[in-house]
Amino acid sequence: DQQVKQNSPSLSVQEGRISILNCDYTNSMFDYFLWYKKYPAEGPTFLISISSIKDKNEDGRFTVFLNKSAKHLSLHIVPSQPGDSAVYFCAASALYSGGGADGLTFGKGTHLIIQP
Amino acid sequence: DVKVTQSSRYLVKRTGEKVFLECVQDMDHENMFWYRQDPGLGLRLIYFSYDVKMKEKGDIPEGYSVSREKKERFSLILESASTNQTSMYLCASLLGGANVLTFGAGSRLTVL
């Protein structure tokens, strides 16, 4: 049973435009959500996060939106740049519900391709 | 900055060989994890440890074991490697009570 779903395996966006990556979750215990970025042959690096008490968190070109009622979050990248081409993983934890030591539950990832 | 070091970046092994993947973190984190990443399957948790000599099974522990003799070191062991264990293996650490995993660069294992 997949608790974190990224339904788009890949996404192609023109440079300068907005990239929107989506993520859905099923476990109501999840209370903290993260996005990781991964280049080939490297480990994932933390990008941005949001706790369930917020509905938006912004960091430069990256904004994450959380819709708790829909169990949906999205990552917006504006404007998209060639260096943003990578695999993006959505992840969730039940940290404040006592599940922190179990680590994170990851989606399958979305490969973002920024076209020049 | 937390550093998680995976000493072997690329390994090629034969079916049936015993394989050790080593991971060291330098920030005194209590929790350490082993994931594998496969195309189309994302990151899947193999084992994790929340203290020295403690280990817990993740989602896909079959065919693997782990060792945590020291707080900074977490080893993944493939007792008898098989071709379906060809994958990218990622080690991560987490400070207790925190919520951001820090990953190593990964170990690409090919089993022939």
Side-chain angles (χ1 to χ4, degrees):
Chain A
D1 179 32
Q2 205 181 339
Q3 298 186 69
V4 178
K5 299 178 185 177
Q6 293 177 257
N7 292 321
S8 299
S10 66
L11 176 67
S12 185
V13 175
Q14 260 195 317
E15 182 178 358
R17 302 270 189 167
I18 183 171
S19 295
I20 300 176
L21 295 90
N22 293 303
C23 179
D24 297 292
Y25 62 97
T26 57
N27 189 340
S28 300
M29 298 290 283
F30 288 147
D31 51 26
Y32 201 88
F33 305 90
L34 306 89
W35 285 94
Y36 279 80
K37 176 179 179 179
K38 186 181 184 301
Y39 293 119
E42 293 184 15
T45 54
F46 169 70
L47 192 58
I48 193 169
S49 63
I50 188 167
S51 76
S52 58
I53 61 172
K54 291 186 170 184
D55 54 19
K56 177 183 174 182
N57 189 27
E58 191 172 355
D59 183 3
R61 295 186 298 114
F62 303 92
T63 303
V64 56
F65 295 91
L66 175 63
N67 182 333
K68 289 186 290 294
S69 60
K71 294 192 176 68
H72 176 84
L73 64 154
S74 60
L75 174 68
H76 293 211
I77 306 173
V78 183
S80 301
Q81 297 175 355
D84 295 331
S85 294
V87 177
Y88 289 79
F89 290 99
C90 173
S93 80
L95 175 72
Y96 302 110
S97 307
D102 292 356
L104 302 174
T105 301
F106 286 86
K108 292 185 177 182
T110 296
H111 185 193
L112 177 64
I113 302 160
I114 305 302
Q115 306 276 11
Chain B
D1 277 355
V2 177
K3 193 168 181 184
V4 178
T5 303
Q6 295 181 236
S7 52
S8 301
R9 294 297 312 274
Y10 300 94
L11 304 95
V12 179
K13 298 290 181 181
R14 296 200 178 276
T15 301
E17 279 193 83
K18 190 168 186 175
V19 182
F20 291 89
L21 298 178
E22 303 287 343
C23 175
V24 177
Q25 51 95 2
D26 64 0
M27 285 298 289
D28 206 35
H29 283 182
E30 292 87 355
N31 306 304
M32 296 187 74
F33 306 82
W34 276 104
Y35 288 87
R36 63 177 281 179
Q37 184 207 356
D38 301 287
L41 297 177
L43 295 165
R44 294 180 292 168
L45 181 63
I46 304 171
Y47 266 97
F48 65 98
S49 168
Y50 53 87
D51 203 350
V52 175
K53 296 193 184 295
M54 305 302 288
K55 60 184 179 183
E56 295 287 342
K57 292 180 179 179
D59 299 319
I60 51 163
E62 295 78 18
Y64 303 94
S65 62
V66 290
S67 172
R68 189 141 182 228
E69 296 298 316
K70 294 184 178 181
K71 191 174 186 179
E72 67 270 20
R73 187 179 298 270
F74 193 35
S75 303
L76 180 69
I77 303 153
L78 288 67
E79 292 289 342
S80 177
S82 62
T83 55
N84 63 12
Q85 292 179 310
T86 291
S87 187
M88 168 72 93
Y89 289 89
L90 294 159
C91 176
S93 73
L94 176 74
L95 182 65
N99 42 37
V100 177
L101 283 173
T102 300
F103 283 89
S107 298
R108 169 71 65 183
L109 172 67
T110 301
V111 183
L112 302 175

